Amino acid sequence: MAPVAGVLLLAITVVLAGGVVTVALGDPVAPTDPAPATSLSLSATDDRITVTHRGGDALDASELDVRVSVDGEPLARQPPVPFFSAAGFHPGPTGAFNAARDDRWRVGESASVRVAGTNDPVPDPGATVVVELSVDGRPVATLETVVEPD
Protein backbone atom coordinates (compact mmCIF):
# COMPACT_ATOMS: atom_id res chain seq x y z
CA MET A 1 0.00 0.00 0.00
CA ALA A 2 2.85 2.41 0.79
CA PRO A 3 4.40 2.24 -2.74
CA VAL A 4 1.02 3.08 -4.32
CA ALA A 5 0.55 6.06 -1.99
CA GLY A 6 4.08 7.26 -2.79
CA VAL A 7 3.45 7.10 -6.56
CA LEU A 8 0.14 8.91 -6.10
CA LEU A 9 1.76 11.66 -4.03
CA LEU A 10 4.54 12.02 -6.62
CA ALA A 11 1.97 12.33 -9.44
CA ILE A 12 0.03 15.01 -7.52
CA THR A 13 3.26 16.92 -6.84
CA VAL A 14 4.24 16.90 -10.54
CA VAL A 15 0.78 18.13 -11.63
CA LEU A 16 0.76 20.92 -9.03
CA ALA A 17 4.30 21.96 -9.90
CA GLY A 18 3.30 22.22 -13.58
CA GLY A 19 0.36 24.44 -12.65
CA VAL A 20 2.56 26.72 -10.53
CA VAL A 21 5.08 27.10 -13.39
CA THR A 22 2.28 27.95 -15.85
CA VAL A 23 0.83 30.60 -13.51
CA ALA A 24 4.27 32.04 -12.69
CA LEU A 25 5.33 32.38 -16.32
CA GLY A 26 1.95 33.68 -17.48
CA ASP A 27 0.95 34.27 -21.07
CA PRO A 28 4.02 34.55 -23.31
CA VAL A 29 2.35 37.23 -25.48
CA ALA A 30 3.90 40.64 -24.81
CA PRO A 31 1.54 43.46 -23.76
CA THR A 32 0.66 45.93 -26.50
CA ASP A 33 1.22 49.65 -26.25
CA PRO A 34 -1.92 51.75 -25.93
CA ALA A 35 -3.23 53.49 -29.04
CA PRO A 36 -2.24 57.12 -29.49
CA ALA A 37 -4.65 59.58 -27.87
CA THR A 38 -5.87 62.03 -30.49
CA SER A 39 -8.77 64.26 -31.37
CA LEU A 40 -9.71 64.14 -35.06
CA SER A 41 -12.54 65.63 -37.11
CA LEU A 42 -14.01 64.59 -40.45
CA SER A 43 -15.52 66.51 -43.35
CA ALA A 44 -16.61 65.38 -46.81
CA THR A 45 -17.43 67.51 -49.84
CA ASP A 46 -18.42 65.71 -53.01
CA ASP A 47 -15.55 63.24 -53.64
CA ARG A 48 -13.08 64.72 -51.10
CA ILE A 49 -12.81 63.21 -47.60
CA THR A 50 -10.73 65.27 -45.15
CA VAL A 51 -9.56 64.33 -41.65
CA THR A 52 -8.12 67.10 -39.44
CA HIS A 53 -5.86 66.43 -36.45
CA ARG A 54 -7.36 68.62 -33.69
CA GLY A 55 -5.31 67.58 -30.66
CA GLY A 56 -3.33 64.95 -28.82
CA ASP A 57 -0.50 62.69 -29.94
CA ALA A 58 1.13 62.97 -33.36
CA LEU A 59 0.30 59.98 -35.56
CA ASP A 60 2.76 58.00 -37.68
CA ALA A 61 1.22 57.86 -41.16
CA SER A 62 3.37 54.85 -42.10
CA GLU A 63 1.54 52.85 -39.38
CA LEU A 64 -1.88 54.29 -40.18
CA ASP A 65 -4.74 52.17 -41.52
CA VAL A 66 -7.74 54.06 -42.93
CA ARG A 67 -11.05 52.36 -43.70
CA VAL A 68 -13.87 54.29 -45.39
CA SER A 69 -17.52 53.34 -45.76
CA VAL A 70 -20.36 55.19 -47.46
CA ASP A 71 -23.91 54.66 -46.17
CA GLY A 72 -22.70 51.59 -44.28
CA GLU A 73 -20.95 49.97 -47.26
CA PRO A 74 -17.12 49.79 -47.28
CA LEU A 75 -15.41 51.25 -50.33
CA ALA A 76 -14.44 48.53 -52.80
CA ARG A 77 -10.91 49.97 -52.75
CA GLN A 78 -9.57 51.39 -49.49
CA PRO A 79 -6.85 54.08 -49.40
CA PRO A 80 -3.40 52.49 -48.89
CA VAL A 81 -2.15 55.32 -46.64
CA PRO A 82 0.29 56.83 -47.32
CA PHE A 83 0.15 56.83 -51.14
CA PHE A 84 0.38 59.09 -54.16
CA SER A 85 -1.59 57.16 -56.76
CA ALA A 86 -3.88 54.22 -56.07
CA ALA A 87 -6.77 52.48 -57.80
CA GLY A 88 -10.10 53.96 -56.76
CA PHE A 89 -8.68 57.37 -55.82
CA HIS A 90 -7.62 60.53 -57.63
CA PRO A 91 -3.81 60.98 -57.48
CA GLY A 92 -2.24 63.33 -54.99
CA PRO A 93 -3.86 62.93 -51.58
CA THR A 94 -2.94 65.74 -49.20
CA GLY A 95 -1.18 65.90 -45.86
CA ALA A 96 -0.16 62.73 -44.06
CA PHE A 97 -2.09 60.60 -46.59
CA ASN A 98 0.50 61.58 -49.26
CA ALA A 99 3.60 59.36 -49.47
CA ALA A 100 5.82 62.35 -50.30
CA ARG A 101 5.06 63.99 -46.95
CA ASP A 102 6.68 63.62 -43.55
CA ASP A 103 5.27 60.55 -41.75
CA ARG A 104 4.34 62.57 -38.64
CA TRP A 105 0.75 63.84 -38.63
CA ARG A 106 0.59 66.65 -36.11
CA VAL A 107 -2.05 68.84 -34.49
CA GLY A 108 -3.49 71.39 -36.92
CA GLU A 109 -2.70 69.37 -40.05
CA SER A 110 -5.34 67.97 -42.39
CA ALA A 111 -5.12 64.96 -44.68
CA SER A 112 -7.50 64.19 -47.52
CA VAL A 113 -8.26 61.75 -50.31
CA ARG A 114 -10.51 62.10 -53.33
CA VAL A 115 -12.59 59.04 -54.16
CA ALA A 116 -12.60 58.33 -57.92
CA GLY A 117 -15.75 57.41 -59.83
CA THR A 118 -14.18 53.97 -60.40
CA ASN A 119 -14.57 53.18 -56.69
CA ASP A 120 -17.83 51.98 -55.19
CA PRO A 121 -19.86 53.38 -53.55
CA VAL A 122 -19.15 56.97 -54.54
CA PRO A 123 -19.76 59.46 -51.71
CA ASP A 124 -22.57 61.57 -53.22
CA PRO A 125 -23.95 64.64 -51.40
CA GLY A 126 -26.24 63.57 -48.56
CA ALA A 127 -24.49 60.23 -48.06
CA THR A 128 -23.06 59.32 -44.66
CA VAL A 129 -19.31 58.70 -44.62
CA VAL A 130 -17.61 56.81 -41.80
CA VAL A 131 -13.81 56.77 -41.51
CA GLU A 132 -12.10 54.36 -39.11
CA LEU A 133 -8.45 55.01 -38.29
CA SER A 134 -6.09 52.65 -36.53
CA VAL A 135 -2.37 52.74 -35.86
CA ASP A 136 -0.46 49.49 -35.98
CA GLY A 137 -3.73 47.58 -35.54
CA ARG A 138 -4.92 49.66 -32.54
CA PRO A 139 -8.15 51.68 -33.08
CA VAL A 140 -7.63 55.44 -32.83
CA ALA A 141 -10.91 56.98 -34.03
CA THR A 142 -14.20 56.33 -35.76
CA LEU A 143 -15.50 59.48 -37.43
CA GLU A 144 -18.80 60.14 -39.19
CA THR A 145 -20.11 62.98 -41.35
CA VAL A 146 -22.62 63.71 -44.11
CA VAL A 147 -21.25 64.57 -47.55
CA GLU A 148 -21.86 68.21 -48.43
CA PRO A 149 -22.23 69.41 -52.03
CA ASP A 150 -19.25 71.35 -53.40
Side-chain angles (χ1 to χ4, degrees):
M1 184 75 158
V4 174
V7 170
L8 184 58
L9 284 175
L10 181 61
I12 291 172
T13 302
V14 169
V15 169
L16 288 175
V20 169
V21 168
T22 301
V23 171
L25 294 178
D27 188 4
V29 176
T32 59
D33 293 331
T38 62
S39 174
L40 304 170
S41 65
L42 175 66
S43 64
T45 306
D46 284 332
D47 64 354
R48 183 177 301 277
I49 298 170
T50 304
V51 181
T52 302
H53 193 309
R54 299 283 181 199
D57 298 332
L59 298 174
D60 186 343
S62 68
E63 296 178 349
L64 195 61
D65 185 40
V66 178
R67 294 286 167 243
V68 179
S69 61
V70 177
D71 288 335
E73 186 179 338
L75 290 179
R77 294 185 176 94
Q78 296 293 331
V81 173
F83 72 101
F84 182 77
S85 183
F89 297 90
H90 292 281
T94 67
F97 293 167
N98 190 304
R101 273 274 322 238
D102 175 16
D103 281 345
R104 303 306 293 167
W105 187 13
R106 296 173 183 84
V107 174
E109 297 177 340
S110 292
S112 68
V113 296
R114 289 183 54 222
V115 180
T118 57
N119 212 334
D120 186 52
V122 175
D124 292 320
T128 299
V129 172
V130 174
V131 175
E132 297 173 283
L133 294 105
S134 58
V135 171
D136 218 15
R138 297 165 297 174
V140 173
T142 299
L143 309 167
E144 182 175 320
T145 194
V146 174
V147 179
E148 299 292 329
D150 193 18

